Amino acid sequence: RPQLQKITRHLSSVMFGVYLIHVFVLRFVKDPSISFIPGLRNIPERYSLSPLDPPALVTIPVLTVIVFLISWAIIALLKKIPYLRALT
């Protein structure tokens, strides 16, 4: 039980920062020149689906977890810097 409270406190302390930065991370992940998720490449250029694209049932949860983890890592690192801690 104390471990769950510790995790909950940590997540609540970084969640606003994650909310603010997730849009930039999402754009980074979806950028066709650097995207590492095949189904997300070239989305801005085309709006039709290809049979080779992975199913949305898999792509959306995977993308959600990846964006959350990257956003969380960035904010957790920013909280370690004394002068930036006040901003996060």
Side-chain angles (χ1 to χ4, degrees):
R1 190 102 185 147
Q3 186 70 10
L4 181 62
Q5 288 177 347
K6 183 179 177 183
I7 292 170
T8 305
R9 275 193 213 110
H10 174 72
L11 284 176
S12 66
S13 73
V14 298
M15 208 45 66
F16 185 62
V18 168
Y19 168 73
L20 290 177
I21 202 168
H22 87 277
V23 175
F24 301 107
V25 173
L26 185 59
R27 290 189 62 102
F28 171 78
V29 170
K30 287 177 67 173
D31 186 355
S33 63
I34 55 176
S35 179
F36 51 89
I37 301 175
L40 296 177
R41 291 186 184 159
N42 302 325
I43 284 179
E45 289 83 10
R46 65 177 174 85
Y47 292 100
S48 62
L49 295 174
S50 164
L52 300 176
D53 288 342
L57 203 59
V58 174
T59 305
I60 292 172
V62 168
L63 178 65
T64 302
V65 169
I66 289 171
V67 169
F68 173 76
L69 290 175
I70 293 172
S71 301
W72 168 79
I74 290 170
I75 296 303
L77 287 173
L78 287 176
K79 283 186 135 327
K80 301 259 184 216
I81 302 171
Y83 294 110
L84 295 178
R85 188 177 302 145
L87 297 176
T88 59

